[in-house]
Amino acid sequence: HSKNKKISTEVNFNFIARRTPGFSGADLENTLNEAALLSVRDKTSKISAKHIDEAIDRVIGGPAKLSKKRNEKAQRLVAYHEAGHAIIGLKLADAEIVQKVTIIPRGAAGGYVLMTPKEESFIQTKQQLKHKIASYLGGRISEEIHFGKEHITTGASDDLKKATAIARRMVTEFGMSEKVGPLQIESSAGPVFVGM
């Protein structure tokens, strides 16, 4: 996808690959086209690592909303929330690798932490799934610790949705519940018939 594009020698394609797991060929092409546009806007002759970094962020979350002004309290809330995700990623052995932390708003997000798998795998252990849930909940827990239970925000809504989906699948599809046992009571296609 980098063919016919002037790219700086500082660009590390292995780093790009680590930041873009799950990207389709079209996503990668879009990223490099976006980086080329950013390079032209900056009046540079080559695409730099900075251009590619911004292009990846745009493909993941949309353009930065630099005009979206937040007061200092909101900035602190977002910073502590995102730091909570990052700390979990740095501390838990089976959490995903923290690649980037930002409090620049994009799309509906006030900021985000980019975490990527340590390696490509088609299966995940129970511990890996639990650590993924913990990383999603890290932002909410950080808000609670730093600002108190009465000052948690709506910023965790998508995190809670993702954590709940994983927990539900662990119990209903993967048979990872101690109480329910090794049963599949749901599949991604719908309820499983368990009649006699």
Side-chain angles (χ1 to χ4, degrees):
H1 300 289
S2 63
K3 200 183 268 188
N4 301 322
K5 291 186 174 51
K6 292 182 180 178
I7 298 179
S8 169
T9 55
E10 72 172 1
V11 172
N12 180 334
F13 285 99
N14 288 327
F15 178 72
I16 294 168
R18 280 195 305 273
R19 287 216 35 221
T20 57
F23 271 39
S24 66
D27 291 332
L28 292 170
E29 185 174 7
N30 188 19
T31 299
L32 288 173
N33 287 339
E34 188 69 41
L37 290 171
L38 292 166
S39 174
V40 169
R41 284 187 198 129
D42 282 351
K43 297 181 173 120
T44 59
S45 61
K46 292 183 179 178
I47 297 170
S48 71
K50 178 185 93 170
H51 297 129
I52 292 176
D53 183 58
E54 174 62 20
I56 291 169
D57 287 349
R58 286 180 178 212
V59 170
I60 291 171
K65 293 183 176 178
L66 299 175
S67 63
K68 189 177 185 179
K69 301 293 181 207
R70 290 190 291 219
N71 62 38
E72 189 177 325
K73 182 179 178 185
Q75 283 282 83
R76 287 189 62 203
L77 277 164
V78 171
Y80 275 101
H81 180 97
E82 300 308 334
H85 292 301
I87 288 168
I88 297 295
L90 294 169
K91 291 295 184 184
L92 294 180
D94 280 327
E96 294 183 336
I97 298 170
V98 176
Q99 297 286 344
K100 181 175 186 170
V101 182
T102 179
I103 61 168
I104 296 172
R106 293 179 183 276
Y112 79 95
V113 175
L114 176 63
M115 297 172 75
T116 57
K118 291 178 182 171
E119 58 190 25
E120 255 186 78
S121 177
F122 297 103
I123 59 171
Q124 292 181 315
T125 67
K126 183 176 182 178
Q127 180 164 301
Q128 286 172 319
L129 293 171
K130 286 167 75 174
H131 286 186
K132 188 176 268 198
I133 290 170
S135 68
Y136 282 128
L137 299 177
R140 168 56 65 82
I141 298 303
S142 180
E143 288 179 16
E144 197 173 299
I145 290 169
H146 292 284
F147 303 104
K149 289 184 179 189
E150 294 302 314
H151 297 283
I152 58 173
T153 71
T154 59
S157 64
D158 192 53
D159 301 330
L160 295 170
K161 179 180 177 183
K162 290 174 181 174
T164 301
I166 293 169
R168 179 183 182 95
R169 291 187 75 199
M170 287 175 72
V171 172
T172 63
E173 291 182 47
F174 307 143
M176 293 180 173
S177 167
E178 309 252 333
K179 289 186 179 181
V180 176
L183 298 173
Q184 186 179 61
I185 52 178
E186 244 179 37
S187 76
S188 54
V192 174
F193 178 72
V194 290
M196 301 291 169

